[in-house]
């Protein structure tokens, strides 16, 4: 089982949803970066359960403890080990699922691949494991901050409800002022109402998270198998419940002609830029200095609080009514996870171009 991500800035994770803790080791963190523990905890708070009425009711403090790699408030360049304790597991809620395969979950595939699975909250396949990604992402953001690079994601669509226009049309800081994390207050209220309606029916719903990276220098990305957009796609598609990734104009761009899609280069006082940014800040797999933007599609959460047909380990048809505490829509808590994986990917590619000192 591969549990590591990255080339130079790497994250190795451990833990299960109902185990003692979730944690990881970040290697390749540049030395001398100020480590703001309050900022790291803030990023975890954006992801943690129980933060609003449209998220799971599981109550966890999700307090991070850094075990190594930091001295006198700055990174030493050594591996940074960290741990977040699990304190509010209700494992008995999953007793009725021990011998069943939940529809659209990893139960069947894990059982077939490993011959064993942790039925308690999904074990290793649980979205709770994204805690480690958010810690590593916060560390990456602290390093990117020194370079003037920012990463901001937001909820663009829930079900059929979506905001139109580009990220430039909104003040993205407003996304944190509502539980859906949408920068449009009016649409956020509609999205919240829809999620509440779906939750009341015991059902779930999906949507789309958009993300923009600003301040990225020219030259990040490799021209063949480690294209920057390929690395971002790998990062996003590794997140629980993700079903699609597109950058720049994405799939909608196929309706246009090349004469409409090409980004024309201009030079002003020695600085090269493009008049448009249909490419999404990446050309030939390498960043061109423009804003990088992409979208990530999330499916509806697979656990439904309603009766479903399924089979047990013996192949017999059975009825399943799930128990426990679950998100009716993963998007609000997935926004910081998308940001984290984008930040990890950007810093990793930056370090592949530069030395380990910022």
């Amino acid at each position: 089982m591969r549990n590591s991500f990255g080339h130079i800035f790497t994250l190795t994770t451990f833990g299960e949803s109902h185990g003692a803790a979730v944690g990881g080791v970040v290697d390749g963190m540049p030395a001398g970066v100020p480590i703001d523990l309050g900022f790291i905890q803030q990023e975890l708070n954006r992801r943690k359960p129980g933060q609003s009425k449209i998220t799971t009711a599981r109550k966890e403090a999700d307090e991070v403890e850094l075990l190594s790699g930091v001295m006198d408030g700055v990174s030493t360049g050594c591996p940074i080990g960290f741990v977040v304790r699990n304190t509010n597991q209700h494992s008995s809620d999953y007793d009725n699922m021990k011998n069943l395969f939940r529809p659209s979950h990893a139960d069947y595939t894990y059982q077939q691949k490993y011959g064993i699975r942790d039925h308690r909250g999904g074990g290793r396949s649980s979205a709770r494991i994204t805690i480690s990604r958010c810690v590593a992402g916060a560390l990456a953001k602290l390093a990117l901050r020194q370079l003037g690079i920012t990463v901001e994601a937001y909820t663009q669509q829930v079900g059929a409800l979506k905001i139109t226009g580009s990220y430039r049309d909104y003040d993205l800081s407003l996304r944190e002022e509502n539980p859906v994390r949408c920068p449009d207050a009016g649409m956020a209220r509609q999205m919240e109402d829809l999620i509440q309606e779906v939750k009341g029916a015991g059902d779930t719903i999906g949507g789309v998270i958009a993300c923009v990276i600003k301040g990225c220098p020219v030259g990040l990305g490799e021209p063949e198998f480690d294209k920057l957009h390929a690395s971002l796609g790998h990062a996003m598609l590794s997140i629980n419940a993700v079903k699609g990734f597109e950058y720049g104009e994405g799939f909608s761009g196929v309706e246009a002609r090349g004469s409409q899609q090409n980004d024309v280069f201009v030079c002003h006082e020695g600085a090269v830029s493009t008049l448009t940014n249909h490419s999404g800040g990446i050309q030939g797999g390498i960043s061109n200095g423009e804003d990088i933007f992409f979208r990530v599609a999330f499916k509806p959460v697979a656990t439904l609080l309603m009766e479903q047909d399924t089979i047990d380990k013996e192949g017999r048809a059975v009825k399943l009514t799930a128990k426990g505490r679950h998100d009716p829509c993963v998007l609000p808590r997935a926004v910081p996870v998308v940001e984290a994986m984008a930040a990890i990917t950007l810093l990793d590619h930056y370090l592949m171009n530069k030395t380990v000192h910022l």
Side-chain angles (χ1 to χ4, degrees):
M1 181 183 289
R2 178 163 169 76
N3 298 293
S4 299
F5 181 85
H7 296 83
I8 296 178
F9 183 87
T10 65
L11 167 65
T12 300
T13 71
F14 67 82
E16 296 83 35
S17 176
H18 286 226
V22 174
V25 176
V26 168
D27 204 358
M29 180 70 178
V33 176
I35 302 301
D36 183 345
L37 188 58
F39 173 75
I40 298 173
Q41 188 60 56
Q42 175 186 313
E43 292 296 277
L44 279 180
N45 291 345
R46 296 172 69 209
R47 192 226 70 93
K48 75 178 182 180
Q51 57 184 276
S52 77
K53 61 185 179 181
I54 59 171
T55 64
T56 172
R58 180 171 176 171
K59 296 293 184 181
E60 293 278 4
D62 283 355
E63 293 181 357
V64 62
E65 179 183 357
L66 301 184
L67 305 175
S68 61
V70 179
M71 184 178 69
D72 297 331
V74 299
S75 58
T76 64
C78 297
I80 299 177
F82 62 89
V83 65
V84 175
R85 308 287 177 181
N86 293 329
T87 62
N88 192 230
Q89 309 96 311
H90 289 181
S91 299
S92 61
D93 287 343
Y94 298 87
D95 286 348
N96 68 325
M97 306 179 196
K98 187 173 183 179
N99 296 308
L100 303 177
F101 297 132
R102 294 171 295 171
S104 289
H105 270 278
D107 297 347
Y108 173 73
T109 52
Y110 264 58
Q111 186 72 43
Q112 292 301 107
K113 182 175 178 66
Y114 299 107
I116 187 173
R117 68 180 175 90
D118 187 346
H119 67 283
R120 305 166 304 167
R124 187 70 175 153
S125 65
S126 169
R128 183 153 179 79
I129 309 306
T130 59
I131 284 174
S132 300
R133 298 171 184 235
C134 285
V135 174
L139 290 168
K141 281 185 176 182
L142 290 172
L144 293 174
R145 182 186 293 176
Q146 309 299 302
L147 304 169
I149 300 172
T150 63
V151 181
E152 294 180 294
Y154 59 95
T155 297
Q156 184 182 57
Q157 180 173 348
V158 174
L161 297 176
K162 58 184 175 181
I163 56 176
T164 58
S166 79
Y167 63 89
R168 299 182 187 88
D169 299 322
Y170 300 95
D171 178 355
L172 298 188
S173 67
L174 297 178
R175 72 194 189 282
E176 294 300 318
E177 295 188 4
N178 61 76
V180 186
R181 294 202 162 88
C182 173
D184 184 304
M187 183 56 72
R189 285 191 292 271
Q190 293 183 53
M191 290 175 172
E192 185 176 358
D193 289 344
L194 176 58
I195 295 171
Q196 281 281 70
E197 176 187 334
V198 168
K199 179 182 179 181
D203 214 335
T204 62
I205 196 165
V208 174
I209 290 175
C211 185
V212 57
I213 301 168
K214 297 182 179 180
C216 182
V218 179
L220 301 193
E222 304 295 319
E224 184 59 18
F225 296 112
D226 282 330
K227 291 178 169 66
L228 184 56
H229 61 266
S231 295
L232 286 169
H234 176 196
M236 298 307 139
L237 290 165
S238 73
I239 300 171
N240 306 60
V242 169
K243 286 295 185 181
F245 169 82
E246 63 176 6
Y247 74 103
E249 294 297 329
F251 287 101
S252 64
V254 303
E255 300 175 6
R257 299 189 179 188
S259 56
Q260 299 170 305
Q261 285 282 297
N262 282 353
D263 296 315
V264 175
F265 288 106
V266 293
C267 186
H268 179 67
E269 296 182 353
V272 176
S273 62
T274 57
L275 291 178
T276 54
N277 191 18
H278 300 295
S279 301
I282 303 172
Q283 293 171 327
I286 300 171
S287 61
N288 66 3
E290 302 296 322
D291 292 347
I292 296 171
F293 64 92
F294 58 87
R295 305 195 323 148
V296 187
F298 286 78
K299 72 172 185 176
V301 177
T303 300
L304 311 181
L305 299 182
M306 60 171 63
E307 188 175 80
Q308 296 184 84
D309 292 316
T310 189
I311 62 171
D312 63 16
K313 289 182 179 179
E314 306 303 321
R316 296 173 296 208
V318 295
K319 299 287 186 181
L320 165 65
T321 300
K323 301 177 182 178
R325 300 158 296 175
H326 308 281
D327 288 287
C329 178
V330 74
L331 273 78
R333 296 174 59 213
V335 165
V337 181
V338 167
E339 290 182 0
M341 293 307 294
I344 292 170
T345 302
L346 258 290
L347 181 58
D348 191 34
H349 272 277
Y350 178 84
L351 293 174
M352 282 193 277
N353 272 17
K354 306 293 182 180
T355 68
V356 294
H357 298 285
L358 297 182

